[in-house]
Amino acid sequence: MSSSIFPASIMSSGEMIDPHVPFKDVQNSDKLRLLISKLNLCSKLYDFHNQDQDSSEKDIKRQTLLEIIDFFSSESPKVSEPAMFAICKMCGNNLFRDFPPKRVSFSSRGEKEDEEPSFDPAWSHLQLVYEILLRFLSQTSLDPKIAKQYIDHSFILRLLDLFETEDPRERDCLKSVLHRVYGKFMVHRPFIRMVVSNIIYRFVFETEKHNGIAELLEIFGSVISGFALPLKNEHKLFLLRALVPLHKPKSVGAYHHQLTYCVVQFIEKEPKLSSAVIKGLLKFWPVTSSQKQLMFLSELEELLEKIHTDEFEKVMVPLFQRINCCLRSTHFQVAEQAHFLWNNEHILHLIMCNRHVIIPIVYLSIEQNSQNHWSRTVLNLAQNMMKMLNDVDQELVLSCQGQSEEAKSASSVVAERRRLTWERLENIARFQPVVGSVSVLEETSACIVSC
């Protein structure tokens, strides 16, 4: 750790005690000094890539870490400033480190292959260090006004950098620690939100590589639920500029559940944001990935359950143009999911209230699915929808049928015109003389190909 983060002057706390002495063998007045000695002992690092090297020293350090955890559990001491410094110094020395670049392998088709998570060989010590840090932060006697000198912006920034680790066990510990820091230090909350926003911006718009997005979103799910109303402009910008663009990366499936939860939390807080969120969802809608389409449709259903009528009317036309594409999908799960939207009572109510706008957009796709879709499930769903529409508004259905017949007739005319045009072009090309290997047109004629 740099001297700017942990100045050595703070450590002038008198004569230290032998760190190998058990806590039970010293007086209460000396226990904090013994704690500092043990923390200093645990600040030394060892190479865990070679398990046989320094094995006895590693065992001593591990036993000392366990002693410190027991001390916090049984004594519940009021930690002095030198002890705070020693705790943060020991945790920083052990935890704050750079990770090697991840080697990404690709399949023969050029797709990224999923790899097994990488586990840190030093986890037997790291886990205990995280436990000590968490117990320190969880103390009721900890004064944030004093502790913020050591749990400062530099410490938090390095802590957030650790979410890049490939070890899922470490990310889980980090999640608990960061959540505790956010709850304990109100003065650091804006800084934490800003740094997390920057991590998301860099992930979405630059690298698309980060291992801890799911964990960060999980933390912010509970943070968002605690936002006061009305929402600050800063929080709305976080939703629209950070959370909504998170739908863009290819790896959205790794954190989509947590992302949906965060977005829904915002909509529950302020329903007026729902139309802006749905517009963003449509902007990043996947075209070639059926799995991502299923995720988006699932999230869309949750959003539509929360939306108000006036916000729904702002987005219903582009929204159902996209749903219409999903209804026509040859991937049966996408088509099924799109049909299932009609099974939701709230969404069905919104559709029926605006049926004169929505039904003409989707009618042709529903009709075609009810007649000849290859999936029996989709066929039955479409037939049920047709029956329901006839029961609700037969006049509208007849009108849509008329428009459908006109569209089919116009499509047939265009197809016939295209066929005749290509036939004419083939006939013209068949009678042209050939000079060398190049066909020369004796007489050019304008041909319009209607597509």
Side-chain angles (χ1 to χ4, degrees):
M1 295 302 297
S2 66
S3 59
S4 61
I5 299 177
F6 298 119
S9 59
I10 301 178
M11 276 308 297
S12 57
S13 58
E15 184 180 351
M16 292 294 104
I17 303 175
D18 182 2
H20 301 96
V21 176
F23 280 105
K24 63 183 177 62
D25 293 345
V26 298
Q27 297 178 359
N28 289 335
S29 59
D30 291 330
K31 285 185 176 180
L32 283 181
R33 287 199 295 131
L34 178 57
L35 172 65
I36 293 172
S37 294
K38 290 182 180 293
L39 289 166
N40 290 339
L41 173 68
C42 295
S43 293
K44 187 175 180 181
L45 303 180
Y46 299 97
D47 182 9
F48 279 84
H49 291 89
N50 185 351
Q51 294 292 340
D52 296 329
Q53 182 179 347
D54 302 321
S55 57
S56 59
E57 288 84 351
K58 291 175 184 175
D59 289 338
I60 291 172
K61 179 179 175 179
R62 177 175 170 78
Q63 290 302 319
T64 307
L65 289 169
L66 289 169
E67 285 182 36
I68 296 171
I69 292 173
D70 290 339
F71 175 70
F72 275 106
S73 301
S74 58
E75 300 287 338
S76 300
K78 184 173 182 180
V79 181
S80 62
E81 281 198 57
M84 288 182 190
F85 165 78
I87 291 169
C88 293
K89 178 176 180 292
M90 185 276 292
C91 293
N93 283 348
N94 282 274
L95 302 178
F96 299 159
R97 62 206 189 277
D98 295 325
F99 300 110
K102 185 177 181 180
R103 296 174 61 185
V104 181
S105 58
F106 293 87
S107 66
S108 58
R109 295 180 296 173
E111 297 175 350
K112 182 178 175 182
E113 293 183 335
D114 293 332
E115 297 179 348
E116 291 295 322
S118 175
F119 298 105
D120 198 306
W123 182 245
S124 59
H125 284 190
L126 292 174
Q127 182 182 19
L128 301 177
V129 174
Y130 276 115
E131 182 67 22
I132 290 171
L133 180 57
L134 190 59
R135 288 176 183 268
F136 166 64
L137 293 170
S138 302
Q139 282 192 307
T140 55
S141 61
L142 182 64
D143 187 352
K145 293 180 180 179
I146 298 175
K148 72 178 182 180
Q149 301 175 59
Y150 312 105
I151 308 290
D152 59 2
H153 286 183
S154 299
F155 190 95
I156 292 170
L157 193 59
R158 297 294 301 272
L159 198 66
L160 285 165
D161 286 341
L162 293 176
F163 277 94
E164 277 280 19
T165 179
E166 294 181 32
D167 194 329
R169 301 169 300 180
E170 183 169 9
R171 295 200 301 270
D172 197 53
C173 288
L174 281 165
K175 184 175 63 177
S176 301
V177 169
L178 184 63
H179 196 277
R180 184 68 62 183
V181 170
Y182 191 92
K184 198 83 172 181
F185 299 90
M186 292 187 65
V187 67
H188 291 327
R189 291 180 182 181
F191 178 77
I192 294 174
R193 292 196 297 265
M194 181 193 71
V195 175
V196 171
S197 296
N198 289 337
I199 290 173
I200 293 174
Y201 296 150
R202 188 162 56 250
F203 168 71
V204 172
F205 300 109
E206 294 181 15
T207 64
E208 289 200 10
K209 295 177 183 178
H210 198 286
N211 296 313
I213 297 296
E215 287 79 9
L216 289 171
L217 289 175
E218 194 168 337
I219 295 168
F220 266 74
S222 58
V223 169
I224 293 165
S225 64
F227 284 163
L229 294 176
L231 289 176
K232 295 179 181 178
N233 191 50
E234 170 205 344
H235 303 327
K236 295 178 184 179
L237 290 177
F238 177 75
L239 168 66
L240 300 176
R241 294 183 181 179
L243 294 186
V244 172
L246 271 174
H247 292 86
K248 177 185 175 184
K250 295 179 181 178
S251 58
V252 63
Y255 54 82
H256 185 259
H257 176 73
Q258 293 86 348
L259 176 60
T260 300
Y261 181 77
C262 289
V263 172
V264 171
Q265 287 290 308
F266 265 109
I267 301 306
E268 287 182 346
K269 288 281 183 181
E270 194 160 323
K272 288 185 178 180
L273 293 169
S274 54
S275 59
V277 171
I278 290 175
K279 287 178 182 177
L281 206 63
L282 295 176
K283 177 182 177 182
F284 297 110
W285 196 276
V287 178
T288 58
S289 173
S290 57
Q291 293 304 313
K292 285 183 70 174
Q293 288 182 29
L294 290 172
M295 288 187 283
F296 276 49
L297 284 168
S298 175
E299 181 178 357
L300 187 62
E301 183 173 358
E302 290 194 46
L303 294 175
L304 290 176
E305 285 180 349
K306 311 292 182 185
I307 198 170
H308 292 177
T309 303
D310 54 341
E311 294 297 315
F312 176 77
E313 291 173 355
K314 294 178 183 177
V315 297
M316 61 183 178
V317 173
L319 172 61
F320 277 88
Q321 287 173 344
R322 174 54 61 188
I323 291 175
N324 183 53
C325 296
C326 296
L327 290 169
R328 289 190 282 106
S329 175
T330 53
H331 193 288
F332 75 99
Q333 289 178 316
V334 175
E336 275 182 22
Q337 192 78 12
H339 283 81
F340 283 150
L341 292 175
W342 269 258
N343 293 344
N344 187 295
E345 292 184 7
H346 181 66
I347 299 174
L348 181 61
H349 174 73
L350 292 171
I351 293 172
M352 290 298 105
C353 290
N354 299 276
R355 60 183 179 275
H356 294 286
V357 176
I358 295 172
I359 300 305
I361 296 174
V362 299
Y363 180 82
L364 182 58
S365 298
I366 297 173
E367 184 187 43
Q368 290 175 348
N369 287 344
S370 67
Q371 294 173 354
N372 55 17
H373 199 281
W374 67 268
S375 169
R376 186 67 189 175
T377 305
V378 175
L379 186 73
N380 292 336
L381 288 169
Q383 288 174 349
N384 292 336
M385 287 173 63
M386 289 294 296
K387 183 177 181 301
M388 178 195 66
L389 291 175
N390 275 299
D391 294 340
V392 171
D393 196 335
Q394 190 172 13
E395 184 179 343
L396 177 61
V397 170
L398 292 174
S399 173
C400 291
Q401 284 177 343
Q403 294 176 9
S404 173
E405 292 299 326
E406 291 178 6
K408 290 178 182 177
S409 177
S411 178
S412 299
V413 170
V414 171
E416 180 64 18
R417 187 185 300 127
R418 186 185 297 115
R419 186 188 68 78
L420 292 174
T421 300
W422 282 110
E423 187 176 301
R424 182 184 174 197
L425 287 172
E426 289 172 357
N427 290 333
I428 292 173
R430 191 179 297 120
F431 294 106
Q432 302 310 313
V434 177
V435 178
S437 60
V438 181
S439 176
V440 179
L441 292 177
E442 293 180 338
E443 183 178 342
T444 60
S445 58
C447 294
I448 301 173
V449 180
S450 177
C451 297

